[in-house]
Every structure is written in structure tokens, then in C-alpha cells.
Amino acid sequence: MDHKYIDEFDIVERYLARRLAEGETTEFEEHFVDCLECVGRLETTRAFVDGLRRVASDRAAAALDRSSATLGNARSTISRKAFAVAAGVLSVIIVAAAVLTFAQVRRYRAEADQSRSASTEWERRYEEERQVSAAAEKKRQESESELTEQIAQLRTELERKTEEEPAKMAEVNVPILALISTRGTDASSGTLNEVFLPRSSRSFFLSVQLEGAREFKTYRMTIESSQRQPIWKRGGFSPNAYNSLSASLSSTLFRPGRYLLTLDGIAPDGSISIVSQIPFHVRK
Amino acid sequence: MSVVSTANEELVDIVRRITAGDSTAEDEVIRRYEHGIAAIIDNVVRNQSITEDLCQETFRIVIEKLRRGDLRQPESLSGFVCGVARQAAIDYIRRARRSKLREEIGNADHISDPAPNQLDELLARERAEIVRQVISELKGGRDREVLFRYYVSEEDKNEICSDLGITRNHFNNITYRALARFKELYVRKVVDPERQ
């Protein structure tokens, strides 16, 4: 700390008024403790300030004494002039207080208005951002449903193409497994139907001839392996004009071995009854 | 050689001599620092007689420590002296508060009287009289207002300048002239009245 700094930042006065930060106080003390010039300035300023405060205090005390004396005189010898002066001073004080209060109120109102408009501005920004966010969410949902629709379409297309593909390539000499269903036929009865599936065949036809009157409106077919593993199942079959049920099956589902076809009849009330069970043997 | 290094060398020499038992070096320390530590202590306790007592206590501690060689860095003698003075003032304030508390609960064994004595009161009145003369010599009410607002009300300098429409330079001139005149009269009437 040098004298230029001390002068520029009023260090002496601020030190005496105890308005220096702790670091600055220490630094200044370590400077002036060994600096006669600064110590002299400190002592002079302190003495002057003490004297000035004493003068101010004496003046205030004198003014108080004078006003007390004035009031005391007014009681014994009522002076209209003194009262008028006192009343005038009081009026001035009241008016000044009112003006100050009014100015204060105006300031508070202005601050309140400012706060209100700031609050309104924040609300408007919040609403804006909320709307932007809602619009973005809506757009996201629309995109999602669009994508879902596209996926469904593609899936349908794929399934259709998959179904069509084999049809496009015409297959000849497709094996046909013709079975006869007789009510009450179970797996143990009847001869084992043999089906020879060439390895080049991609599919074969299954035709089940229904014997007797049409008891059910719709039928369900289930094919299981010899280990009771479900291989294929389809419902909703209705007898054709020849009182038979037919289905096209993929050869790849069937390895060489024994299988069991179960034919269920579906009653109008939804109840299911086994019509027949027909074993067959696949050879390749 | 720089001023700082010369000053440091002086301090190192003083400390070395005190440690060696040189009593003139001890007097030198007292002369060098007495006004400074008085200012530090008085800024805390604000009482002249107590300041004098605490100054003596400070020097007693400082000289004892220097004789024992407790000051490891002799070039920091000024900071060391400041620290001892500050601590002496703070310790006094703490003792005074404890004493006041015991007094309040009727348990005091010693009550220190912080009120100024007659000499202090006399000096205070002399100072006030000199200040009145300085103020009466001021040319305008604005200069008086600057002094009262800055030193008595402790208002901010920039605010005063702004209110009164004066520059900082003008402000500094007012305070400088008032202080200079005060010092002149004070030295003439109080410090060295025989010259008058």
C-alpha cells in the first residue's frame, strides 16, 4: 500500500470510520505503524472529526434547549407568533413526511408494477414454451402412428408377397393326402394313411372327406407329431360342395414320421367336439 | 539499493541488537512505533488513557519477545508490532465486556471506568473550539455541509458530490484545506502554545 493508493481510496477516513475490509485494515496498519506522515494524518483527521462531532452534538443540544425553552415560555406567556411558528414548522414536517411517504408509495407501486410485468412476461414465456412442447409432442405422436401404419403395411405386403411367391412359381405334381373322417374315428382305429412327399415338393394338399350328414357349420384341424408336438392348427373350415375340407400345407413342416390329425367340430354356441382323429405317415 | 530493502535492513539490525542486549535498540523500537501503535489501539478502544496503558503493555511484550529471539523473520518487525498492539486492544475489549457482564449480575471485582477523565474532556473542548473557528472561517454553507455530511454523518463521497454538484477534486480541496487549517491552529494552541 503506498500513499497514492491511500489518497485515491480515502483509506485514512475509511479506517477511522471502520469501513475498511479486514485485509485492507491490516495492510494499512502495517504501513502507517512505521510511517510518520500517515500517523500524523491519522491523528489530525481523528482530532478534527472528534471536534466536528462535538460541535454537531453541542449544536443539537443547544437547538433542543432552545426549543424546550420556547415551549416553556409559550405555556406561561402564550405567544401567538411562537405558536404560529411552531405550528408552521409542524405543518412543514407533516407535509414533508407526507411527500416522502407519497414518494415512497409511488416507488413501491412502480416496483410492484415492474414485478407484475416481469411475472406476466415469465407467464407468457412459460405458456409459449408449453405450447411449443405440446406441438412437438403431437408431431411425435403423429410420426409414431404414421410409422406404425407403414410398418403394418409393409408387414402385410411382405406376408402377401410371401404367400404369392410360391404361387408365382407354379408347382406341378403336388401330393394330395386324402383322408376320410368318420365320426368316432380315433387314432387307434383305421388304417395308417401313407403320404409320400418328394423332397422337391414345397407343399401338399390335405383333403378330409366328411362322412355322414353335416353336423357342424365349421371345423378345426390340428396336426400333431408322434410326440404330441403341435405342428399345425387352423380353424374356420367349412365343408365344400363335396362335403370335404381341404387345406394346403407346407412340406417343410413335416419330417418323415407319424402324425395325427384331429378334426374338431365347432357348434354355434362355440363348444368344440372331436369329430375324428386320423393318423398318417409321411415319407420323403 | 531500494527504499524497501534499506528499511528491511534497518529492522533486521534493530532486532539483532535487541537480541544481543542493546538497550538503545529497544528505545529505538519504542520511538519508531509509539505513534503508530497508539493510533492502532486508539482506533479500537477510543480512550486516551487506556490507549497509553495498552501501548506500554504492547511494548513490554514486544521487547520481551525480541530479547528472547522469538521473532523468526526480523524484516517483519512492523507487522509483528501491529499484531501485538491489535491483540492488546482486543483483549482489553473482551475483559471490559466480561467485567460489564459481571457488573450487571452483581459479581464484579473490578469495574473499569471508560469515561474520559478531566484532561481528556479539556482536550475535547479545545478541539471543538478550534473546529468552530475553522468552520467559521469557511466561505460558504456548502463547504460546511461537505464536512458535516462526510465526517459526522459518514455519507458516501460520491453521493455528496452528486448532491452538491461538485467534483471529487473540489471535495478533496475542501477537506484538505479544513484539515490543514485545523492542524495549524491545533499545533499553535494545544501542542505548542508557547510559540503563540
Side-chain angles (χ1 to χ4, degrees):
Chain A
M1 193 176 276
D2 55 20
H3 290 149
K4 190 179 170 197
Y5 183 93
I6 291 168
D7 288 338
E8 193 175 330
F9 293 99
D10 307 320
I11 298 296
V12 170
E13 287 80 5
R14 286 168 58 208
Y15 175 78
L16 291 173
R18 295 179 188 165
R19 289 206 310 262
L20 287 182
E22 195 177 323
E24 262 185 327
T25 301
T26 306
E27 208 179 329
F28 181 49
E29 285 177 347
E30 286 180 14
H31 166 81
F32 76 66
V33 79
D34 202 12
C35 175
L36 284 177
E37 183 187 335
C38 285
V39 169
R41 215 173 128 184
L42 262 174
E43 287 173 347
T44 303
T45 308
R46 176 174 290 147
F48 179 73
V49 171
D50 286 348
L52 200 59
R53 286 185 179 149
R54 176 91 178 215
V55 167
S57 170
D58 290 348
R59 282 186 179 185
L64 193 61
D65 287 342
R66 278 199 298 275
S67 64
S68 299
T70 304
L71 282 172
N73 287 341
R75 278 186 189 158
S76 54
T77 53
I78 299 173
S79 163
R80 281 189 186 179
K81 195 174 177 184
F83 267 122
V85 166
V89 166
L90 201 58
S91 307
V92 166
I93 291 170
I94 290 171
V95 167
V99 166
L100 277 170
T101 308
F102 179 66
Q104 195 95 326
V105 166
R106 272 184 67 181
R107 199 162 57 95
Y108 288 148
R109 278 202 184 134
E111 281 173 14
D113 286 341
Q114 213 174 15
S115 302
R116 212 173 289 125
S117 66
S119 166
T120 307
E121 176 63 20
W122 277 111
E123 276 179 22
R124 186 192 64 76
R125 281 169 70 174
Y126 169 73
E127 183 57 32
E128 246 178 47
E129 279 171 24
R130 196 190 61 79
Q131 284 178 4
V132 164
S133 168
E137 176 63 19
K138 191 179 168 190
K139 198 169 174 183
R140 188 196 66 79
Q141 284 174 359
E142 280 170 7
S143 300
E144 201 177 317
S145 71
E146 213 176 280
L147 281 169
T148 308
E149 209 178 297
Q150 276 181 18
I151 289 169
Q153 275 178 7
L154 284 168
R155 196 170 278 149
T156 308
E157 186 71 21
L158 179 66
E159 282 173 5
R160 187 180 60 76
K161 282 192 176 169
T162 307
E163 283 170 11
E164 278 177 5
E165 265 315 303
K168 279 187 184 166
M169 296 173 63
E171 194 176 355
V172 297
N173 295 329
V174 177
I176 298 172
L177 175 61
L179 303 170
I180 298 173
S181 165
T182 306
R183 189 78 163 106
T185 310
D186 62 22
S188 59
S189 64
T191 51
L192 186 64
N193 297 278
E194 289 279 336
V195 176
F196 174 70
L197 294 181
R199 291 195 188 275
S200 59
S201 299
R202 289 196 301 276
S203 58
F204 67 96
F205 279 111
L206 178 70
S207 175
V208 179
Q209 185 71 45
L210 297 171
E211 286 286 315
R214 295 180 187 191
E215 285 183 68
F216 300 96
K217 204 167 178 185
T218 57
Y219 290 84
R220 181 176 74 186
M221 279 196 264
T222 306
I223 299 178
E224 293 174 331
S225 68
S226 56
Q227 283 85 36
R228 292 283 183 185
Q229 292 279 334
I231 302 295
W232 180 85
K233 187 176 185 176
R234 193 71 59 89
F237 288 100
S238 296
N240 59 19
Y242 304 102
N243 201 26
S244 66
L245 308 170
S246 57
S248 169
L249 301 170
S250 171
S251 298
T252 55
L253 291 175
F254 298 89
R255 290 182 182 176
R258 285 174 69 106
Y259 296 89
L260 179 67
L261 184 146
T262 302
L263 184 66
D264 298 316
I266 315 294
D269 64 355
S271 60
I272 300 171
S273 307
I274 296 179
V275 172
S276 60
Q277 287 184 308
I278 309 166
F280 62 94
H281 183 246
V282 171
R283 286 192 301 115
K284 287 194 175 180
Chain B
M1 189 178 292
S2 71
V3 173
V4 172
S5 58
T6 307
N8 282 348
E9 279 175 15
E10 283 177 17
L11 297 178
V12 170
D13 184 57
I14 288 172
V15 172
R16 183 188 57 75
R17 284 158 54 205
I18 290 174
T19 313
D22 185 349
S23 60
T24 59
E26 293 172 7
D27 294 339
E28 218 172 300
V29 161
I30 294 171
R31 275 197 305 275
R32 190 178 184 118
Y33 292 115
E34 62 180 338
H35 293 288
I37 66 163
I40 291 172
I41 292 170
D42 194 54
N43 199 42
V44 176
V45 305
R46 304 281 181 161
N47 184 296
Q48 189 152 350
S49 56
I50 292 170
T51 296
E52 286 171 9
D53 292 343
L54 293 177
C55 281
Q56 285 184 13
E57 178 66 16
T58 300
F59 280 121
R60 184 188 66 76
I61 294 169
V62 165
I63 301 293
E64 262 181 31
K65 285 186 180 283
L66 292 178
R67 281 176 185 166
R68 285 201 304 261
D70 286 351
L71 184 62
R72 301 282 170 86
Q73 292 175 319
E75 61 273 12
S76 60
L77 177 61
S78 298
F80 171 66
V81 168
C82 279
V84 174
R86 219 178 286 128
Q87 197 56 50
I90 292 169
D91 287 345
Y92 168 78
I93 295 295
R94 283 186 186 142
R95 284 197 305 272
R97 281 181 187 159
R98 279 199 294 270
S99 172
K100 187 172 167 51
L101 181 63
R102 283 200 297 271
E103 178 191 338
E104 282 169 358
I105 62 175
N107 228 2
D109 51 3
H110 171 73
I111 302 166
S112 60
D113 181 11
N117 56 27
Q118 284 182 343
L119 178 61
D120 291 342
E121 178 59 25
L122 183 62
L123 283 172
R125 270 194 286 195
E126 290 269 5
R127 278 199 296 264
E129 201 45 52
I130 295 170
V131 167
R132 279 194 193 90
Q133 184 176 342
V134 169
I135 289 173
S136 67
E137 291 173 3
L138 295 173
K139 285 184 184 158
R142 186 178 61 184
D143 290 5
R144 279 187 212 109
E145 190 175 346
V146 163
L147 297 175
F148 278 104
R149 285 178 70 172
Y150 187 56
Y151 289 117
V152 179
S153 305
E154 292 182 356
E155 289 181 42
D156 180 65
K157 184 189 269 191
N158 290 328
E159 275 186 29
I160 298 171
C161 288
S162 171
D163 284 352
L164 300 180
I166 59 175
T167 62
R168 280 179 73 95
N169 272 345
H170 188 175
F171 182 103
N172 292 339
N173 281 340
I174 293 170
T175 56
Y176 176 79
R177 283 199 305 265
L179 283 167
R181 180 60 178 154
F182 172 82
K183 185 177 178 183
E184 183 195 350
L185 294 173
Y186 190 75
V187 167
R188 196 193 298 171
K189 293 184 180 180
V190 177
V191 177
D192 196 9
E194 289 178 6
R195 283 180 60 189
Q196 203 170 351

